[in-house]
Amino acid sequence: MGKGGPKTWVEISKNALVSNAKIFKRRAGASVAVMAVVKSNAYGHGLVEVAKTVQPHLDWFGVDNVDEGLALRKAGIKKPILILGFTPSWRMQDAIRAGLRMTVSTREQVHAAKSAAKKAAKRGYLHVKAETGTTRQGAELRELPDIAEMIKSAKHLVLEGLSTHYANIEDATDHDYAAGQLETYQNALEILEAHGFHPDVKHTACTAAAVLYPDTHFNLVRVGIGLYGLWPSLETRLGAQAKGLEIELQPALAWKTTIAQVKDVKRGTPVSYGLTEKMPRTGKVAVLGVGYWDGYDRGLSSVGEVVVRGRKAKVLGRVCMNMCMIDVTDIPDVRAEDEVILLGEDGRVAVTADDLAHHLDTINYEIVTRINPLLPRKLV
Ligand SMILES: *Cc1c(COP(=O)(O)O)cnc(C)c1O
């Protein structure tokens, strides 16, 4: 993109995505399938762009909702797709018609799925999620036989999977809670098996579990953040190193914008709304065509850094809706229409999602998922 395209855009490296996908395939081994978790616009990376790139390498797709699943089908994605989030009863027919698997965790949902499948005159494939300690979506273990029985007795429903999700696995310094959840999941499986139910697809692992704990793999792992080349946490990264795993994830996303104007500004001149920051010395300010509408968080006011001509430049004053200002006093030859890297690298200088997360007191997941989905994603 750049010249000729919009003023702010996102570039996604195909090579990085494929390399990361292969890392997780290798880690999972031959008997474990890998799901590309592409919910939330593929963590901001572009749902369809990412899905098409990784489809030849991975086995399943995980989305949050029916509409993301339908978008994948429309884009020609043929592999199985599981809706990880909540499907309201009124969207279940759409899901079943498109062959989207649904996560369910209550009798009411199974009941709704039963009538939706009947109306669609098509099989509805369900993955029951067990509550093992995250206190989110999930059926209590004592409810499982009943839920499984309801599914079995409905002609059009298939109990395809049993899943759960860990609450604290990214914190690799304390594995006890996750180990307890794994044990509860195993009990859930045993309960189902004792009642004669044998779901084909058993899955619990997110990226951190897929990397660190093969015991959690069963026959499918659900990889989100790692596919995009980001580590779930520093603890996970250190945990992998401690286990001697050589995992070189490659960040796939670069976020770029364009300089609108460069101006000479005297020391002491206030910059942007609220006059919160004054020019620290006489020098040069560049105005960027990006702001919080694009997802460049207002919390980056006065603290964010970007890369211009191979050098870092700091945000001056408040980030506005569609613009922000940076100090380019020390960077020679900066001109209007120069490219600016908001997130990504230019030779030796980088701004990472973890850097931005640090400024905003959040996690890299939130940084990339909140890049405005209306900005174009370009595969490079
Ligand atoms: C989002 C999500 C994942 C992916 O988690 P990562 O840490 O990004 O790998 C896995 N499973 C479920 C149920 C999820 O909602």
Side-chain angles (χ1 to χ4, degrees):
M1 224 156 273
K3 304 263 155 77
K7 65 182 173 167
T8 303
W9 70 99
V10 174
E11 290 176 2
I12 303 297
S13 160
K14 271 193 207 181
N15 285 343
L17 286 175
V18 169
S19 160
N20 299 329
K22 288 181 175 168
I23 286 172
F24 286 96
K25 265 316 262 187
R26 210 175 310 130
R27 183 72 185 127
S31 58
V32 178
V34 178
M35 174 188 287
V37 179
V38 292
K39 66 192 182 194
S40 308
N41 199 29
Y43 290 37
H45 291 62
L47 175 64
V48 167
E49 294 84 347
V50 169
K52 285 185 165 171
T53 304
V54 302
Q55 172 158 251
H57 306 281
L58 301 179
D59 312 295
W60 279 71
F61 288 93
V63 296
D64 172 60
N65 58 57
V66 179
D67 295 299
E68 290 175 340
L70 295 179
L72 289 184
R73 287 288 185 242
K74 201 171 153 200
I77 298 297
K78 300 278 190 287
K79 294 214 165 143
I81 299 171
L82 173 63
I83 298 172
L84 299 166
F86 170 65
T87 307
S89 53
W90 62 87
R91 296 308 306 279
M92 286 184 172
Q93 264 200 70
D94 289 343
I96 292 168
R97 280 184 209 284
L100 308 176
R101 276 78 174 153
M102 295 187 287
T103 299
V104 294
S105 53
T106 66
R107 289 182 186 77
E108 290 74 17
Q109 284 183 292
V110 175
H111 190 74
K114 181 177 162 177
S115 45
K118 202 169 156 196
K119 281 191 196 129
K122 205 171 162 188
R123 282 241 161 84
Y125 292 85
L126 303 182
H127 289 226
V128 173
K129 193 161 181 184
E131 174 60 75
T132 60
T134 302
T135 315
R136 217 168 72 167
Q137 249 174 337
E140 299 295 333
L141 266 52
R142 63 183 139 73
E143 301 175 296
L144 289 177
D146 203 25
I147 288 177
E149 198 55 56
M150 275 180 78
I151 296 172
K152 190 181 167 192
S153 66
K155 205 173 84 198
H156 288 91
L157 295 181
V158 180
L159 171 57
E160 185 178 53
L162 180 73
S163 70
T164 196
H165 191 56
Y166 298 104
N168 197 34
I169 199 118
E170 286 77 18
D171 181 2
T173 53
D174 173 14
H175 321 157
D176 293 358
Y177 198 78
Q181 287 192 268
L182 175 58
E183 206 176 300
T184 307
Y185 177 79
Q186 272 154 342
N187 289 341
L189 268 179
E190 281 162 23
I191 290 170
L192 285 185
E193 281 165 8
H195 284 78
F197 302 106
H198 304 278
D200 281 345
V201 192
K202 307 175 189 77
H203 50 112
T204 73
C206 55
T207 298
V211 170
L212 296 177
Y213 307 112
D215 282 359
T216 64
H217 289 185
F218 296 89
N219 57 4
L220 172 69
V221 296
R222 307 183 303 254
V223 178
I225 200 80
L227 179 61
Y228 306 107
L230 302 176
W231 283 89
S233 65
L234 180 62
E235 289 79 358
T236 309
R237 185 176 199 155
L238 296 176
Q241 270 171 17
K243 285 178 192 280
L245 299 171
E246 283 178 21
I247 295 183
E248 289 296 331
L249 298 178
Q250 291 182 38
L253 182 146
W255 185 12
K256 298 183 176 176
T257 190
T258 311
I259 293 181
Q261 183 179 352
V262 181
K263 52 176 65 181
D264 297 317
V265 178
K266 288 218 171 71
R267 178 170 179 267
T269 309
V271 180
S272 195
Y273 287 128
L275 323 178
T276 54
E277 186 171 9
K278 295 194 168 66
M279 190 64 178
R281 61 210 157 139
T282 296
K284 274 187 298 177
V285 169
V287 182
L288 307 185
V290 67
Y292 58 78
W293 177 84
D294 301 270
Y296 200 74
D297 199 286
R298 196 163 171 275
L300 294 168
S301 297
S302 286
V303 296
E305 287 187 311
V306 302
V307 179
V308 187
R309 292 186 177 254
R311 312 266 291 268
K312 283 201 179 170
K314 191 185 80 74
V315 172
L316 284 167
R318 288 209 178 129
V319 173
C320 312
M321 191 182 288
N322 304 104
M323 290 183 221
C324 65
M325 276 59 79
I326 57 172
D327 186 342
V328 291
T329 308
D330 295 328
I331 308 176
D333 301 324
V334 176
R335 295 200 176 90
E337 304 203 344
D338 277 356
E339 183 176 295
V340 175
I341 300 172
L342 304 167
L343 200 181
E345 61 164 315
D346 170 354
R348 284 171 309 170
V349 196
V351 175
T352 66
D354 287 298
D355 292 337
L356 296 179
H358 180 75
H359 286 309
L360 295 168
D361 197 17
T362 183
I363 51 178
N364 54 21
Y365 292 72
E366 189 180 1
I367 300 299
V368 287
T369 53
R370 295 188 72 177
I371 299 174
N372 191 321
L374 296 178
L375 298 179
R377 269 64 177 171
K378 182 178 163 44
L379 287 171
V380 295

